[in-house]
Amino acid sequence: DAGVIQSPRHEVTEMGQEVTLRCKPISGHNSLFWYRQTMMRGLELLIYFNNNVPIDDSGMPEDRFSAKMPNASFSTLKIQPSEPRDSAVYFCASGRGGSVSYNEQFFGPGTRLTVL
Amino acid sequence: ILNVEQSPQSLHVQEGDSTNFTCSFPSSNFYALHWYRWETAKSPEALFVMTLNGDEKKKGRISATLNTKEGYSYLYIKGSQPEDSATYLCAFVNTGGFKTIFGAGTRLFVKA
């Protein structure tokens, strides 16, 4: 199993540009999570999906952030327009919800975003 | 508001020392408690999942206990080694199974 795949691994962009982060969850997992890691706030949950449906997006910072999961094997997190304060490492994680795994999550390698 | 707190924030120990740290979580609507190990420049990796009050889990020199009635879990490391240096995260899952709240982590530094 390849694990959770994220792309790109590093992204450097200029303020105002659109940024799209991509995630491929582990096959068979029905939950997908987007997190942001910053020095100030640690690991923040942005949004999670269950069976491709967004369940809780209360962690999404503002309207500039959006996430989609068009099918079970792909999700995107988009920032438009990007700002320097969005600079962080963004992690995607997937898991099998319910009593099978009690929501254990498997993390991707992260995307390090720098907005200049 | 669901609050998961970990203490201490960071810990410096010498190689060979045994150490422990705490995760506090809401005592109601408990579903599961996870411990993750997060090495610098890597991704968090699952250590334990704990579901029942009184659970004790062990993996090598690392073990964990769970008290759901009072809302805490301890992680113990016996005979710390430099390779144990990492951030240890706990994550509380409430009933329903999908809302996971991570603590801020305890950053462990083990000096050779």
Side-chain angles (χ1 to χ4, degrees):
Chain A
D1 195 329
V4 176
I5 299 172
Q6 289 186 248
S7 64
R9 294 292 305 275
H10 302 272
E11 176 83 28
V12 180
T13 191
E14 292 189 346
M15 183 173 66
Q17 296 298 305
E18 177 180 295
V19 175
T20 300
L21 311 181
R22 296 173 177 80
C23 176
K24 178 177 167 52
I26 292 172
S27 177
H29 284 185
N30 62 345
S31 300
L32 184 138
F33 307 80
W34 282 102
Y35 292 91
R36 177 170 67 176
Q37 180 205 3
T38 62
M39 289 292 290
M40 294 294 292
R41 296 185 177 209
L43 199 62
E44 280 183 280
L45 177 66
L46 300 176
I47 186 171
Y48 71 92
F49 296 84
N50 185 39
N51 293 324
N52 314 338
V53 176
I55 301 299
D56 186 344
D57 65 355
S58 59
M60 296 285 263
E62 48 201 90
D63 292 345
R64 297 183 298 106
F65 285 69
S66 62
K68 292 182 180 179
M69 191 164 186
N71 57 60
S73 58
F74 184 66
S75 177
T76 58
L77 178 68
K78 188 175 291 187
I79 309 172
Q80 165 66 14
S82 57
E83 296 181 5
R85 61 192 167 121
D86 301 330
S87 298
V89 180
Y90 291 81
F91 286 99
C92 175
S94 71
R96 287 179 291 178
S99 60
V100 174
S101 71
Y102 297 95
N103 219 29
E104 177 180 351
Q105 297 177 32
F106 295 79
F107 285 78
T111 294
R112 181 173 293 277
L113 173 65
T114 302
V115 183
L116 302 173
Chain B
I1 296 176
L2 296 174
N3 206 26
V4 177
E5 295 184 356
Q6 291 189 245
S7 63
Q9 208 169 34
S10 66
L11 196 53
H12 293 252
V13 301
Q14 288 289 131
E15 182 176 359
D17 287 352
S18 293
T19 186
N20 65 85
F21 19 95
T22 307
C23 172
S24 301
F25 51 86
S27 55
S28 58
N29 300 319
F30 177 87
Y31 185 65
L33 191 283
H34 295 267
W35 281 99
Y36 290 84
R37 183 170 180 273
W38 192 3
E39 291 182 69
T40 303
K42 293 189 178 180
S43 308
E45 291 184 348
L47 274 174
F48 303 117
V49 55
M50 310 179 81
T51 58
L52 297 174
N53 185 44
D55 256 358
E56 290 188 26
K57 294 285 176 83
K58 187 174 181 182
K59 188 182 290 188
R61 295 179 291 100
I62 304 177
S63 60
T65 60
L66 179 69
N67 183 323
T68 60
K69 293 184 179 179
E70 295 182 40
Y72 65 84
S73 175
Y74 293 134
L75 189 79
Y76 301 90
I77 302 179
K78 186 178 178 182
S80 303
Q81 299 296 309
E83 57 265 30
D84 296 329
S85 297
T87 296
Y88 291 84
L89 295 171
C90 70
F92 167 76
V93 186
N94 67 353
T95 50
F98 295 108
K99 183 74 175 182
T100 301
I101 309 295
F102 278 84
T106 291
R107 190 151 186 206
L108 176 66
F109 300 88
V110 182
K111 188 175 179 183

